[in-house]
Amino acid sequence: MTDHAPTAAAPAGPGAWQATHIFYAANPRPLLLQCVRPLVDSLADDGLLAGWFFINYWLEGPHVRLRVRPSAPEHEARVRRRTEEAIDAFLAERPALYEVDTGFLNEFYNTLFDVEFSGQDRAPYLDGEGRMNLRPNNSRHAMEYAPEYGKYGGPVGIDLAEWHFRHSSDLVVEAFDTKNLHLRTVLLGTSAQLMMVMAGCFLPDREELAEFLHSYYEFWHTLYPGTNFIGSDEYDTNYAAMAPDLARRFALIREATSAEDPAARLPAFLARWAVHCRELRARAVAAAEAGELVFRSWDGERDERITDPGQALRVLLSPYMHMTNNRLHVTMRDEAYLAHVLARSLHEPLAAPAARSAP
């Protein structure tokens, strides 16, 4: 009989993603800084965390959707228990006092519901009066984690998105801790610069970038017709006052993101974001060239494998950019506004030479 050395077991992968929806009708900053960040930091320090991210959402009431991935399947119960204990302790100590069942926000969320849900998709979320159900404020709910494979490019695209979302979530939590994001001017300035960096890294060609930002604004404008969510005329009025400073700032950031070492030419906060966006772009390009990105068509009827890197970058840039703004708690109206003024800051210099040469 021949003896064989024991075969080492293949290392187990991480555990399953855990999704917890925390209904908190207030600015999410305290929840993120006093609950979520200490929780994920402690899980990481104890070797229990493979990944995490969060988003803000409105369905059934304003809430934070926290996604946590245990480092191994055997840690799933422990991670779930610690997550629930941390959330319960925070909600008991600092509950949100505002209720959404009356007033403007209830109407706002119901308008979103009417626009984005139709037919049978509405049924699970309706109350007895045919309006969107509201979950109790200051409550948590364990939910199924359902990745949007069609939006992000299939399984490989979801892996990439989840990796990116952790960086985006870490960045936003740091910004909440170190910047005065409760001030509207600071919030919009931070959002605009992060949009500049990411868009500039993904689409370095100036004209292509300008067209993308314009189409990004148009997407939000047409998604909510008949509402006052996305403006147009007032955008142009506001733009005139900020155009010179914005154009100069955008030019400096675009120049930095196109440099060999963007980190050497940007403030530390933006430099880390630029380095990450460069790597994100490289990974997306590699996945597209390998034929690994499969998206769902806009009509939902078929899958489309995108192998052209430029097309893949444009498809991914929209949801990537939107989700960072979502984490910052930037409204859709403000996000559309920023895309509009950023596009104009690029379009107008592009159009100027032709205008001067016209008879």
Side-chain angles (χ1 to χ4, degrees), residues 22-359:
I22 310 165
F23 286 79
Y24 190 69
N27 188 297
R29 181 179 182 274
L31 174 62
L32 294 170
L33 292 182
Q34 299 173 27
C35 176
V36 171
R37 185 169 68 174
L39 168 65
V40 297
D41 285 349
S42 68
L43 292 175
D45 290 344
D46 293 341
L48 301 175
L49 188 69
W52 85 281
F53 64 92
F54 79 94
I55 67 171
N56 296 298
Y57 210 56
W58 54 268
L59 185 63
E60 298 185 298
H63 62 280
V64 170
R65 295 187 170 186
L66 174 64
R67 279 75 183 264
V68 176
R69 191 172 200 184
S71 57
E74 60 265 28
H75 298 322
E76 289 176 1
R78 188 178 176 190
V79 169
R80 170 63 70 187
R81 183 181 68 254
R82 286 175 57 167
T83 299
E84 293 175 348
E85 289 173 351
I87 295 169
D88 289 345
F90 172 82
L91 294 177
E93 180 178 349
R94 187 163 179 174
L97 303 179
Y98 182 79
E99 294 294 340
V100 187
D101 56 354
T102 59
F104 165 75
L105 280 182
N106 190 26
E107 295 302 322
F108 173 74
Y109 294 131
N110 272 287
T111 301
L112 285 176
F113 185 63
D114 291 340
V115 170
E116 296 192 24
F117 286 81
S118 60
Q120 294 182 343
D121 294 339
R122 301 169 60 91
Y125 305 107
L126 294 176
D127 64 15
E129 299 180 355
R131 292 168 65 83
M132 184 185 71
N133 179 57
L134 289 173
R135 290 188 183 255
N137 193 19
N138 300 307
S139 67
R140 60 164 171 81
H141 303 267
M143 307 293 285
E144 178 185 2
Y145 174 52
E148 296 182 278
Y149 289 103
K151 179 184 290 187
Y152 291 103
V156 171
I158 283 293
D159 286 345
L160 180 60
E162 290 167 347
W163 170 80
H164 162 58
F165 288 164
R166 179 172 185 171
H167 284 266
S168 174
S169 297
D170 285 335
L171 178 93
V172 168
V173 171
E174 177 190 347
F176 275 123
D177 190 33
T178 59
K179 299 179 181 294
N180 294 321
L181 296 186
H182 61 285
L183 300 176
R184 177 176 169 79
T185 53
V186 176
L187 175 64
L188 295 188
T190 300
S191 172
Q193 291 182 88
L194 294 176
M195 290 172 71
M196 289 179 194
V197 169
M198 172 170 270
C201 286
F202 269 53
L203 304 175
D205 179 79
R206 178 176 183 155
E207 187 167 4
E208 182 181 15
L209 178 56
E211 291 299 331
F212 169 83
L213 289 168
H214 179 71
S215 67
Y216 190 74
Y217 159 74
E218 288 291 339
F219 168 78
W220 291 114
H221 187 69
T222 57
L223 184 62
Y224 298 102
T227 72
N228 65 350
F229 293 173
I230 311 299
S232 55
D233 293 341
E234 70 271 29
Y235 285 8
D236 291 325
T237 301
N238 294 337
Y239 172 77
M242 63 186 302
D245 289 340
L246 183 71
R248 284 193 294 269
R249 184 62 178 164
F250 206 166
L252 290 173
I253 288 180
R254 285 190 61 253
E255 184 179 350
T257 56
S258 63
E260 184 174 345
D261 181 13
R265 308 178 67 173
L266 291 169
F269 179 75
L270 293 180
R272 290 195 302 275
W273 186 235
V275 170
H276 166 70
C277 291
R278 281 277 193 90
E279 184 175 357
L280 178 62
R281 182 188 194 278
R283 292 189 182 196
V285 166
E289 291 176 339
E292 297 173 331
L293 297 181
V294 181
F295 298 87
R296 197 66 177 165
S297 61
W298 280 107
D299 58 13
E301 296 296 325
R302 61 195 180 281
D303 289 333
E304 298 176 335
R305 189 178 302 274
I306 295 180
T307 58
D308 174 64
Q311 183 182 0
L313 290 173
R314 289 189 295 274
V315 171
L316 289 172
L317 179 55
S318 292
Y320 286 170
M321 199 158 63
H322 172 60
M323 294 317 301
T324 297
N325 278 322
N326 168 281
R327 294 182 180 99
L328 284 166
H329 221 236
V330 172
T331 66
M332 291 175 292
R333 183 182 181 88
D334 285 339
E335 183 175 6
Y337 166 66
L338 292 175
H340 177 75
V341 297
L342 292 176
R344 280 197 60 180
S345 74
L346 291 171
H347 268 305
E348 292 186 351
L350 285 172
R356 285 194 298 267
S357 62

